[in-house]
Amino acid sequence: MRERVPLLDLASEVEFLWEPLQGAIQEVLRSGQFILGPEVDALEREVAAYLGVRHAVALNSGTDALVIALRALGVGPGDEVITTPFTFFATAEAISHVGASPVFVDIEPDTFALDPDLAEAAVTPRTRAIIPVHLFGHAADMDRLGDLARAHDLHVVEDVAQAFGGRFHGRMLGTLGDFGAFSFFPSKNLGAYGDGGLLATDDAALAEAARMLRAHGSRRKYYNEVVGYNSRLDALQAAILRVKLPHLDEWNRRRCEAAAYYREILADLPGVVLPAVRPGVDHVYHQYTIRIPNGRRDAVQQALAGRGIGTMVYYPVPLHQLPVYRHMNLSLPAAEAAAREVLSLPMGPFLRREQQDEVAAALRQALW
Ligand SMILES: *Cc1c(COP(=O)(O)O)cnc(C)c1O
């Protein structure tokens, strides 16, 4: 059965952009230039202008963006990197990949973001960097995390995979640390139709290091200077992203409208916690994630699925409880509670009010 209300409606987006996508794709096919090249250069310029940063470096994925950011900053074996356990695995995987140790710190229950007090308490002489994640499109507390980083001379890599276009006190997310690491995974607010990622930075030397690392550690072809990666964005994805970028603000605005409508129609649902927005945060609702306590979440999800409503649990297992990191034997109660209770509802720029009404009716019935 085709879902009546999909979690994310990419089909409508593709249909809406069909003509310009065709034109952009055909132009790349005719150009014969498929990896990096003028389309990727143009995307980098346009994203840098959109964010208001000096440099944008387009990569293969958001995961590579995190790895390459850490490598460019010289983070490696023996170093500790503070991050959240309530995120997609890639955030911590990148830390482990460069040989450093992830240090998981519990989250603020209302925003699901890294708790700055606990982050402060986790700093040791080996701490080199901190990776805040703007989860679901809501900014982490970059004022307090920025203060903490300055006080202890730590690098900051923002994981902006879920928050392209979001702001913190008027400032663009992804421009507040040494690097902003973006993902163009198809489901993200600015998604390609394949894998892609990008690093944003104001620092010319860091940008150059990232460019070198994405091309096998070479500035000049066949003159490799360090061991790098094959992490170049391809021209087709860049062309597709250039068609979509001009729509991003409008689409994020529509996500906010959908969130406001959810808030209205779900306000009186007993026992459901709706997403919080901190003052000064422009949320971009990558996900609209509610909490259903008292062990009822999974049953509610099943009931919604039975009515053709797509939902997802981001994330069912906090990273410190995954087989990879279980040996750390950590207890992080806020993240563990979130993993038990969260449910992300259908969201996106093409979500219609009637569909949201269906979601609300199904939730009401499931919770009765
Ligand atoms: C999607 C995502 C990533 C990884 O991005 P990819 O492009 O899929 O490699 C990293 N961190 C977070 C929080 C994400 O949501």
Side-chain angles (χ1 to χ4, degrees), residues 27 35 41 46 64 71 143 154 174 178 213 230 232 235 292 296 313 336 350:
E27 211 165 296
I35 305 279
D41 291 346
E46 287 161 14
D64 278 11
R71 280 284 307 278
D143 276 342
L154 308 177
D178 298 274
L213 285 164
N230 176 1
R232 301 159 301 204
I292 302 173
R296 302 184 68 189
V313 173
E336 289 159 27
F350 294 89

Side-chain angles (χ1 to χ4, degrees), residues 59-66 84 86-93 131-136 159-163 181-188 194-198 286 314-315:
L59 304 166
N60 247 339
S61 68
T63 305
D64 278 11
L66 291 163
T84 162
F86 196 61
T87 175
F88 179 56
F89 179 60
T91 313
E93 190 183 27
I131 306 186
V133 180
H134 307 307
L135 201 73
F136 305 147
D159 183 336
V160 212
Q162 301 190 5
F182 293 85
S183 164
F184 300 131
F185 186 80
S187 68
K188 306 291 160 102
D195 274 311
L198 178 139
H286 173 61
Y314 300 113
Y315 295 91

Side-chain angles (χ1 to χ4, degrees), residues 288-340:
Y288 189 85
T289 303
I290 64 173
R291 295 177 76 127
I292 302 173
N294 307 323
R296 302 184 68 189
R297 193 264 319 271
D298 293 349
V300 168
Q301 183 178 31
Q302 271 180 15
L304 266 61
R307 294 183 55 159
I309 294 168
T311 62
M312 197 67 92
V313 173
Y314 300 113
Y315 295 91
V317 186
L319 303 191
H320 65 286
Q321 293 185 327
L322 287 173
V324 202
Y325 297 123
R326 220 158 36 197
H327 64 272
M328 294 179 176
N329 248 320
L330 295 171
S331 156
L332 301 168
E336 289 159 27
R340 284 191 302 270

